[in-house]
Amino acid sequence: INCRALTSVTISGSVETLGTDLFNSCDKLAEIRIDGEGENFKIDDDVLFDKEMTRIIWCSANKSGSYKIPNTVKTIGGSAFISQRKLTSIGIPDSITEIPDWIFWDCSGLESAAIPSSIICISECAFYNCIRLTSISIPESVILIGIVRLIVAVRWCQ
């Protein structure tokens, strides 16, 4: 979308699917509301999930401090955490196997990221411009780092 001034979004409860990278470059987006039934999505602790809480779609620009991704999450949408400047640490559960492209891009307040041994792929520019991140431990389970999503990388990471 590349909508740097957007601060809130209301989504009809009748919407069934939200794609990836939906709110990319919406640096000031702090609130998403589900209008109506909202049976297909869930907002918990300023984070938008699919209804089963297996996929993170978006995280509020107001999210600050530490955040531990719930164990139910299996995938993280491509732009879910982009430009989360107030986020200082992220805990990734064992239920996730891939850290997507650009996922923590411009998370300038991020100081630590716990990467579990379930991760096999850390995609291109996953921690780009995380200027406060001073160290990170990459587990032995990781077989691909910074690979552009070519057919070979997709085969290994999914």
Side-chain angles (χ1 to χ4, degrees):
I1 291 179
N2 199 7
C3 46
R4 299 201 184 277
L6 186 66
T7 59
S8 70
V9 172
T10 300
I11 299 170
S12 170
S14 63
V15 172
E16 294 179 9
T17 305
L18 293 173
T20 59
D21 298 326
L22 189 61
F23 302 109
N24 190 1
S25 298
C26 298
D27 299 359
K28 296 179 184 166
L29 183 58
E31 179 183 33
I32 291 182
R33 292 181 301 277
I34 307 296
D35 186 29
E37 292 295 314
E39 295 177 9
N40 297 312
F41 306 101
K42 180 177 182 169
I43 297 173
D44 183 56
D45 196 21
D46 286 332
V47 178
L48 177 65
F49 298 89
D50 64 350
K51 65 182 173 183
E52 294 90 16
M53 289 185 66
T54 58
R55 179 172 75 110
I56 293 179
I57 300 165
W58 166 85
C59 178
S60 171
N62 288 336
K63 190 85 175 137
S64 63
S66 297
Y67 181 64
K68 178 152 178 31
I69 296 171
N71 292 332
T72 56
V73 174
K74 296 188 184 325
T75 59
I76 304 170
S79 61
F81 290 98
I82 284 180
S83 297
Q84 300 303 318
R85 295 182 181 105
K86 298 176 186 177
L87 198 62
T88 57
S89 70
I90 189 83
I92 301 170
D94 288 335
S95 56
I96 295 175
T97 59
E98 177 187 4
I99 298 176
D101 297 339
W102 303 87
I103 191 65
F104 299 110
W105 178 82
D106 201 26
C107 289
S108 57
L110 193 63
E111 297 170 0
S112 66
I115 300 177
S117 60
S118 61
I119 299 295
I120 59 169
C121 180
I122 300 173
S123 296
E124 182 180 20
C125 299
F127 294 97
Y128 181 81
N129 208 30
C130 293
I131 58 174
R132 288 197 174 96
L133 190 62
T134 57
S135 69
I136 196 162
S137 293
I138 299 174
E140 289 182 20
S141 58
V142 174
I143 57 174
L144 294 171
I145 299 175
I147 303 295
V148 178
R149 289 205 158 240
L150 300 172
I151 293 171
V152 174
V154 170
R155 188 185 87 210
W156 283 102
C157 292
Q158 293 182 341

